[in-house]
């Protein structure tokens, strides 16, 4: 048993996802050897595992890494008085630090390439002799086990009713590093544009059909100041930046890798008129100064992000400026856009719709 078992969660705390909860249970029961020193982890929810490890006072530093700022800020809000050793960070990659322990909870429906990327990153972040523990909420898993074996180690296994944990010790550096980023090209107005993308970024390795429809519909004129909401890998931003003379484009996304990729794409195409920032609230500098706002919000779940896009567009646009969004639910856009905009136009296009409106 560890010297200081992990503290029990508050009855009012949001429960961790199954794989993460299983890790908390295994550490608390002493089934996973508690290496002292520094810890790298991430979370499928609100940093519950990281907070529990930090609260045990066994570790000098516990870094909980997120790629998405929205998720990171929710985790921070969930721990208003975090243990002193807990750091919740949001960056495209884990902190550049050598850790004694790396703990990775995974969901069975996780993005395949992102999981491989995370496994490699967490393994690379370990010191020689450091421990890697990986949990997945699939007690019949074989695929994650295979990916860990490809790291050149033979993992031990702890099975549970709804999750399984694999553990290994790093004895050597990886002989071969895999680059999970990629370049692809799109064509717009006779010009070939290079795009860079990474796992977790929307529409990795290809242009999304909705983004293509948005590019075809955006009314870009010379001298426009354009805002791209949820820029993803930057396909829309790059096309807007090259569509007319003297256009400037600013992009925002809650995914830190999306912003990284968009700026990398601008550099690949030698564009100096594209800027980008990470935001999960739609916060922008110089509200009321944009001529055009573009957005390709998610088409699933509720319309929280679409609502945020419209509110941000209303705040960002000058009087007479135009917003253009891509969606799929015509009834929702027909009902909601007139609340903030006038001169509404909704055009169906190949299973999508392009909805636009003008700021009063």
């Amino acid at each position: 048993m560890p010297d200081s078992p992990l503290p029990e969660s508050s009855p009012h705390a949001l429960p961790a996802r199954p794989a993460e909860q299983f890790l908390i249970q295994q550490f608390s029961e002493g089934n996973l050897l508690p290496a002292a020193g520094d810890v790298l982890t991430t979370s499928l929810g609100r940093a519950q595992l990281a907070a529990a490890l930090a609260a045990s006072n066994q570790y000098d530093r516990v870094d909980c890494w997120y790629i998405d700022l929205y998720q990171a800020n929710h985790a921070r809000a969930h721990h208003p008085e975090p243990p002193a050793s807990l750091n919740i960070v949001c960056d495209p990659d884990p902190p550049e630090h050598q850790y004694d322990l790396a703990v990775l909870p995974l969901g069975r429906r996780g993005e395949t390439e992102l999981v491989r990327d995370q496994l490699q990153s967490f393994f690379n972040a370990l010191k020689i002799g450091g421990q890697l523990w990986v949990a997945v909420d699939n007690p019949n898993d074989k695929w994650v086990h295979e990916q860990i074996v490809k790291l050149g180690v033979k993992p031990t296994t702890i099975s549970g009713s709804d999750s399984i944990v694999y553990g290994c010790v790093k004895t050597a550096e990886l002989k071969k590093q895999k680059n999970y980023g990629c370049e692809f090209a799109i064509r717009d107005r006779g010009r070939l544009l290079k795009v860079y993308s990474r796992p977790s970024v929307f529409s990795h390795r290809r242009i999304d059909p909705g983004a293509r429809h948005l590019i075809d519909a955006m009314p870009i004129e010379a001298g426009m100041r354009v805002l791209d909401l949820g820029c993803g890998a930057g396909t829309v931003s790059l096309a807007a930046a090259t569509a007319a003379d003297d256009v400037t484009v600013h992009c925002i996304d809650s995914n830190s890798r999306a912003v990284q990729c968009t700026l990398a794409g601008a550099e690949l195409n030698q564009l100096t008129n594209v800027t980008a920032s990470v935001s999960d609230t739609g916060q922008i500098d110089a509200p009321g100064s944009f001529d055009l706002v573009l957005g390709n919000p998610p088409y699933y779940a509720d319309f929280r992000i679409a609502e945020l896009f419209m509110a941000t567009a209303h705040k960002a646009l000058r009087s007479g400026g135009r917003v253009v969004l891509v969606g799929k639910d015509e009834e929702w856009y027909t009902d909601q856009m007139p609340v903030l905009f006038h001169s509404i136009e909704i055009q169906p296009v190949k299973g999508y719709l392009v909805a636009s409106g003008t700021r009063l």
Side-chain angles (χ1 to χ4, degrees), residues 32-33 35 100-103 119 122-123 126-134 144-145 147-158 165-172 174:
L32 306 187
L33 296 176
D100 303 280
L101 177 65
V103 190
L119 284 169
F122 273 51
F123 192 81
L126 284 171
K127 301 174 181 177
I128 299 297
Q131 300 177 30
L132 173 66
W133 294 97
V134 182
V144 173
H145 181 273
Q147 306 312 308
I148 296 173
V149 170
K150 289 179 181 179
L151 297 175
V153 295
K154 295 181 179 180
T156 59
T157 301
I158 302 174
V165 173
Y166 303 112
C168 63
V169 175
K170 180 176 178 178
T171 58
L174 287 178

Side-chain angles (χ1 to χ4, degrees), residues 22-23 30 58 70 73 133 144 191 204 266 269 282 290 303 350-351:
F22 192 54
L23 282 165
Q58 294 173 244
Y70 178 79
N73 280 339
W133 294 97
V144 173
R191 177 170 180 171
H204 178 44
N269 294 282
F290 289 90
F303 291 91
K350 296 182 180 179

Side-chain angles (χ1 to χ4, degrees), residues 184-195 242 268-269:
F184 62 93
I186 64 170
R187 187 172 294 278
D188 180 55
R189 296 173 175 84
R191 177 170 180 171
L192 198 65
L193 297 171
K194 298 177 182 178
V195 182
T242 58
L268 283 172
N269 294 282

Side-chain angles (χ1 to χ4, degrees), residues 4-342:
S4 302
L6 299 191
E8 294 184 3
S9 300
S10 163
H12 304 292
L14 186 71
R17 300 286 178 84
E20 194 164 343
Q21 184 59 49
F22 192 54
L23 282 165
I24 293 172
Q25 175 188 337
Q26 297 309 309
F27 273 104
S28 182
E29 294 176 355
N31 296 327
L32 306 187
L33 296 176
D38 298 342
V39 183
L40 171 65
T41 187
T42 185
S43 178
L44 299 169
R46 306 291 173 84
Q48 293 95 333
L49 170 62
L53 291 172
S56 73
N57 296 319
Q58 294 173 244
Y59 305 98
D60 301 322
R61 167 176 170 173
V62 179
D63 290 344
C64 186
W65 166 63
Y66 288 90
I67 296 173
D68 193 279
L69 183 61
Y70 178 79
Q71 296 172 338
N73 280 339
H74 269 274
R76 291 176 181 132
H78 194 65
H79 305 284
E81 298 180 358
S85 61
L86 176 61
N87 304 299
I88 296 175
V89 297
C90 177
D91 281 303
D93 294 285
E96 292 185 3
H97 184 74
Q98 290 291 287
Y99 295 91
D100 303 280
L101 177 65
V103 190
L104 179 60
L106 299 171
R108 70 171 72 195
R109 294 181 178 84
E111 180 187 339
T112 297
E113 208 167 356
L114 177 60
V115 170
R116 291 185 176 123
D117 187 357
Q118 290 176 317
L119 284 169
Q120 178 174 274
S121 295
F122 273 51
F123 192 81
N124 284 339
L126 284 171
K127 301 174 181 177
I128 299 297
Q131 300 177 30
L132 173 66
W133 294 97
V134 182
V136 59
D137 59 352
N138 177 10
N140 300 313
D141 168 75
K142 292 183 180 179
W143 184 83
V144 173
H145 181 273
E146 292 173 357
Q147 306 312 308
I148 296 173
V149 170
K150 289 179 181 179
L151 297 175
V153 295
K154 295 181 179 180
T156 59
T157 301
I158 302 174
S159 298
S161 60
D162 60 6
S163 298
I164 191 167
V165 173
Y166 303 112
C168 63
V169 175
K170 180 176 178 178
T171 58
E173 300 295 344
L174 287 178
K175 295 180 179 179
K176 185 177 181 181
Q177 299 288 333
K178 174 75 173 179
N179 181 8
Y180 293 98
C182 77
E183 291 182 22
F184 62 93
I186 64 170
R187 187 172 294 278
D188 180 55
R189 296 173 175 84
R191 177 170 180 171
L192 198 65
L193 297 171
K194 298 177 182 178
V195 182
Y196 179 73
S197 75
R198 297 186 66 190
S200 87
V201 175
F202 175 65
S203 201
H204 178 44
R205 295 190 178 275
R206 63 182 180 85
I207 184 170
D208 172 68
R212 169 54 69 188
H213 297 320
L214 185 57
I215 289 171
D216 293 341
M218 58 187 185
I220 304 288
E221 297 178 4
M224 272 190 167
R225 181 170 163 81
V226 180
L227 176 64
D228 181 12
L229 302 177
C231 56
T235 54
V236 173
S237 303
L238 300 177
T242 58
D245 293 336
D246 300 322
V247 172
T248 58
V249 180
H250 184 68
C251 327
I252 62 175
D253 202 298
S254 66
N255 185 309
S256 60
R257 281 190 176 180
V259 169
Q260 179 193 57
C261 288
T262 296
L263 293 176
E267 186 174 350
L268 283 172
N269 294 282
Q270 300 181 330
L271 300 175
T272 59
N273 57 337
V274 177
T275 58
S277 58
V278 181
S279 174
D280 65 330
T281 62
Q283 181 179 356
I284 54 168
D285 295 329
S289 66
F290 289 90
D291 303 291
L292 180 66
V293 175
L294 305 169
N296 182 17
Y299 319 124
Y300 53 84
D302 57 21
F303 291 91
R304 179 189 64 83
I305 299 179
E307 290 173 348
L308 175 63
F309 277 21
M310 286 204 296
T312 301
H314 187 266
K315 178 175 61 177
L317 286 168
R318 62 168 176 79
S319 179
R322 193 84 174 159
V323 59
V324 183
L325 303 176
V326 173
K328 285 197 170 184
D329 191 319
E330 183 173 353
E331 181 178 355
W332 188 86
Y333 281 92
T334 300
D335 290 343
Q336 297 299 318
M337 288 202 75
V339 175
L340 296 175
F341 304 98
H342 70 92

